[in-house]
Amino acid sequence: MTDTTYGFDTLQIHAGARPDPATGARQTPIYQTTAYVFRDADHAAALFNLQEVGFIYSRLTNPTVAVLQERIATLEGGVGAVCCSSGHAAQIMALFPLMGPGKNIVASTRLYGGTVTQFSHTIKRFGWECKFVDFDDLDAVKAAIDDNTRAVFGEAIANPGGYIMDVRAIADIADAAEIPLIIDNTTATPFLCRPIELGATLVVHSTTKYLTGNGTVTGGCVVDSGKFDWSANDKFPSLSQPEPAYHGLKFHETFGNLAFTFHGIAIGLRDLGMTMNPQAAHYTLMGTETLSLRMERHVENAVKIAKWLEQDDRIEKVTYAGLESSPYFERAAKVCPKGAGALFTISVKGGYEACVKLVNALEIFSHVANLGDTRSLVIHSASTTHRQLSPEQQEAAGAGQNVVRISIGTEDADDLIADLDQALTKASS
Ligand SMILES: *Cc1c(COP(=O)(O)O)cnc(C)c1O
């Protein structure tokens, strides 16, 4: 089913899926196979030439993974998607066709800790560079873009700080510079935020989080809006010029608005090998079926709990864009009208020590390096996820010493409040 006129609740269950042609199985089977038998030698040649679309080898394509790709692409309003082994793999997959030695990206300072590390250090080994800029300073974003910039990168709802990016304003800047805007939509999900409608070219996900929703598998996805003209200038030769890694195929000319998706599969997955396995795709497909239901409850609980925390004397500050006190409250209504997510931070009176006591004393909340689970989760970012960052980078990312990140689950809000209450009492004693 691919009719995009259906509503979100229908599409999250049906998009990409059809009864199994061999057995009629209603649920998408887990195609646990490495390879696929060619009809004959001509069929095999056509597949390898990309003249016919089909299945060759599961590093490239797999029918279970293909359903998930179509489902996420549909939910995001994109033309195609490529799933991969993790959210971090998705980021490399998104950048790979655009970049080359000496090229750079301009990224927000407010990003997931692991992304800051990936962009500050690891991508340098490829000869890529990242310039971090405060995305609220639009002039600084414009000034950071130079002739070698190949993408702008930000998170719609930033992890961890309760920050909302003005996606439309940044998209306009990227458009003027004729480069794509990549949005990490992990913490918002397509239910809360639709970056492509706001002007994004590509959307990346860690499907590990809300899309799967139950903390079972890691995965990632790159969604293409299909709207970018890769041939408008000579900045993207892998897409517009003969690609030497695929016997001189011109991806944009051959595949039109699906160029990026085909490149992601035919070159990205083929050569980088960051493949999602069909078991992981199965768990994530199960998760997507209830995405909107979960996100509504996540948001409802987050608002209730953030309000309770905000009035508590043991708390210095709550950074949640769903609170009227947040400087991003009005922007949130435009960028993510169905809610500002369920991820926020609290600054606890008593600093580092109190934070450590708090995470130790919580009973329902689990102290883990994850978010976007049905379970409520908590982490002291400064001693864990943001540990590799300098104190300045920690502050900029909203992960200072006295800051605890909370990912609100779908349990009873009153139980979560009672748990926070008892743990805060222990933390302040
Ligand atoms: C978790 C996360 C990532 C990385 O995803 P993995 O699946 O852990 O590799 C990237 N961006 C955001 C916003 C995340 O929350």
Side-chain angles (χ1 to χ4, degrees), residues 85-89 91 112 115 155 157 159 184 186-187 205-209 218-220 370-371:
S85 52
S86 71
H88 271 357
Q91 293 167 192
Y112 177 71
T115 306
E155 295 176 14
I157 299 179
N159 171 359
D184 181 341
T186 300
T187 54
H205 276 282
S206 166
T207 60
T208 315
K209 313 294 170 53
T218 61
N370 191 20
L371 59 97

Side-chain angles (χ1 to χ4, degrees), residues 2 4 28 30 74 85 89 100 116 133 179 205 211 218 232 251-252 269 274 311 314 345 360 374 396:
T2 53
T4 48
T28 299
I30 303 169
T74 305
S85 52
V116 176
V133 183
I179 52 175
H205 276 282
L211 291 180
T218 61
F251 277 82
H252 194 207
L269 288 181
M274 301 159 165
Q311 54 72 51
R314 295 163 294 189
T345 61
N360 283 336
T374 47

Side-chain angles (χ1 to χ4, degrees), residues 84-103:
C84 39
S85 52
S86 71
H88 271 357
Q91 293 167 192
I92 297 297
M93 287 279 295
L95 292 174
F96 182 65
L98 314 176
M99 300 292 282
K103 307 304 177 208

